[in-house]
Amino acid sequence: MNRITESAEKLFDYRGRHVFVAGGSTGINFGIAEAFAKCGADVGLISRKMDHVDAAVDALRKHGGEVFGTVADVRDAAAVEAALEASHKEFGDIDVLVSGAAGNFFATATGMSTNAFKAVVDIDLIGSFNVLRLAHRFLRRPGASVINVSAPQSVNPTSHQAHVCAAKAGVDMLTRVLAIEWGAEGLRVNSIMPGPIEDTEGLERIAPTAEAKSHMLSVIPMGRFGTKQDVANMALTLSSELCAFVTGSVIPVDGGRYLSGGAGYLQNMEHG
């Protein structure tokens, strides 16, 4: 166990709390689910592939808490609702909701079809709307924390990423609107915007070669890639009483990467 992970487990106690993670079987989202599990939470999760769900559930149970997982595509509202109902039946009201399902590929705007553009919007934006809207009735009042997992493309116009830029910008605006609409119920809604995170499919796509990774590091002020634990620590903090007055925020976890804009992605494509 590294020092950062150990510190998180000492700082946060989520025993008896229900955490639900959409897209929680792999990558950054699994890292978030695992961090909450290590801090004692009961975790519900959904993903599109049963083998991913089974592997995630087995891994999370090793931390001692209760875990519920099932297959559901965030584009399928009925499946999402059924999964939320089942997790609520297991663990009660949801204390922390994380919506992180996402899709991506690299293509210019003229190099992708309408259906290709729509596929990412359907997963990232419509999927997020489905998760948040359908989870609303299951959220604990007051006190629930809702977190959308965004991306730097939501604020930086990025070549070869028109679909993701549009979808994630929509997710962040959805975050702000729901923070307004749900605030009086004692519900908080925020976005976390991860930068380049090591050991993820996203980083491998953005920087597939050693040269591309070196360039990416050169535009990160802190001089390193992030870790899944870095993102998870923000989710743990944002969902705690320490952030009880924080809502409607889009919070970068990227070592300052977003400050340099989106040009680096195009250069990475050239290096790749």
Side-chain angles (χ1 to χ4, degrees):
M1 183 185 301
N2 64 41
R3 181 178 58 81
I4 296 176
T5 305
E6 192 173 50
S7 297
E9 292 180 32
K10 289 179 179 178
L11 284 171
F12 299 105
D13 182 358
Y14 280 93
R15 286 175 294 180
R17 307 287 185 90
H18 178 188
V19 177
F20 188 93
V21 185
S25 67
T26 59
I28 288 172
N29 298 317
F30 175 76
I32 292 172
E34 185 173 43
F36 278 105
K38 288 178 177 178
C39 292
D42 297 322
V43 178
L45 63 88
I46 57 171
S47 186
R48 283 181 284 177
K49 297 182 178 180
M50 194 69 237
D51 57 334
H52 289 175
V53 171
D54 288 341
V57 168
D58 288 344
L60 294 175
R61 281 181 176 154
K62 293 177 182 178
H63 301 301
E66 297 295 324
V67 184
F68 167 82
T70 190
V71 171
D73 188 322
V74 294
R75 293 169 292 186
D76 183 344
V80 171
E81 186 169 31
L84 287 162
E85 287 177 342
S87 194
H88 183 261
K89 184 176 180 180
E90 288 283 330
F91 305 132
D93 289 349
I94 297 172
D95 296 281
V96 181
L97 173 71
V98 180
S99 178
N104 195 5
F105 57 87
F106 285 96
T108 62
T110 55
M112 73 177 87
S113 67
T114 298
N115 284 340
F117 186 92
K118 181 176 181 295
V120 170
V121 172
D122 281 350
I123 295 170
D124 289 29
L125 181 54
I126 305 301
S128 294
F129 177 73
N130 284 339
V131 171
L132 273 59
R133 180 180 71 86
L134 294 168
H136 178 258
R137 66 187 174 100
F138 300 117
L139 297 173
R140 187 176 303 283
R141 292 167 173 75
S145 168
V146 177
I147 296 174
N148 287 312
V149 180
S150 184
Q153 294 94 316
S154 72
V155 294
N156 287 325
T158 306
S159 179
H160 295 74
Q161 292 282 272
H163 47 341
V164 178
C165 289
K168 289 299 190 182
V171 169
D172 287 347
M173 190 55 73
L174 181 62
T175 292
R176 297 181 181 105
V177 171
L178 294 186
I180 294 170
E181 292 186 359
W182 296 358
E185 300 175 65
L187 306 176
R188 298 184 298 110
V189 188
N190 294 285
S191 287
I192 294 176
M193 189 174 72
I197 304 299
E198 63 185 14
D199 297 325
T200 62
E201 182 180 350
L203 180 59
E204 290 306 313
R205 289 186 179 186
I206 292 170
T209 66
E211 184 181 7
K213 286 182 173 65
S214 177
H215 171 75
M216 179 64 76
L217 282 172
S218 75
V219 296
I220 299 174
M222 293 192 72
R224 70 170 176 89
F225 293 125
T227 67
K228 295 171 191 173
Q229 189 67 46
D230 287 324
V231 181
N233 286 345
M234 178 55 69
L236 291 168
T237 304
L238 195 54
S239 299
S240 74
E241 287 76 9
L242 297 174
C243 291
F245 203 52
V246 178
T247 194
S249 296
V250 178
I251 303 173
V253 182
D254 68 351
R257 166 68 183 87
Y258 85 101
L259 298 171
S260 62
Y265 287 102
L266 178 57
Q267 293 179 16
N268 285 335
M269 290 294 294
E270 294 168 347
H271 290 160

